[in-house]
Amino acid sequence: MRLILLLSVLFPALLAAQHCGYDFASIIVVHAHRSNSATVEPRLRITLLDTNNLPAVINGQEWNRFRPNDGRSTLPDRAWQPHFERYSGLVFPFAGDNYVLVVPSRLDYSGYSILVQDERNGGVGELRRTVVPITNNDVYPLCGRYDDDIYPPMEGRPNFAPVDIMLQTR
């Protein structure tokens, strides 16, 4: 009898529990800039590479392309992460004007890396192709933090900082 009473009290509370829109999701933020400037370089192709140096996939689906945090597509490929299309302004305010990629939280990103390519000017840009390894500390949980202007410190982790990638000219 007590069990039925307890369940009848708890069941409505369980139904009303709210979940974050980014449960089990994290973000990688990239600040790609020329070595002589702190300004983010526009229109770059930035790809997350897995431990085999191939574009990362989950269940056969590509989810490896970073995009500008401004909420608009500056790239012709809109098939990846289409939810960004509904935003105007910064999608993740704490990420600033950098490039972002939403990734699953539960993966081990040891051995992963980020590939930056300048494909402007007919596919041959003026910046060198750059590959930078990342660690699990470069992946930040989004739930409860995605709409913050400043990413709050987390116990046991370094403070939020984008992956800084300095680009060299050819």
Side-chain angles (χ1 to χ4, degrees), residues 13-44:
L14 292 174
L15 287 178
Q18 292 186 354
H19 291 279
C20 170
Y22 289 100
D23 275 347
F24 311 112
S26 291
I27 190 169
I28 302 172
V29 180
V30 170
H31 181 75
H33 59 96
R34 293 176 188 249
S35 59
N36 58 356
S37 171
T39 305
V40 173
E41 194 67 29
R43 299 183 314 274
L44 295 173

Side-chain angles (χ1 to χ4, degrees), residues 16 64 79 112 134 151:
N64 51 46
Y112 278 62
I134 63 168
Y151 195 93

Side-chain angles (χ1 to χ4, degrees), residues 3 7 11 22 25 33 35 41 45 49 60 68 70 80 98 107-108 112 120 128 144 153 160-161 170:
L3 179 63
L7 287 177
F11 189 69
Y22 289 100
H33 59 96
S35 59
E41 194 67 29
R45 181 182 181 96
L49 303 177
D70 64 5
W80 50 276
N98 298 303
L107 289 180
D108 179 9
Y112 278 62
R120 299 172 292 189
R128 288 187 186 159
F160 171 79
R170 291 182 194 243

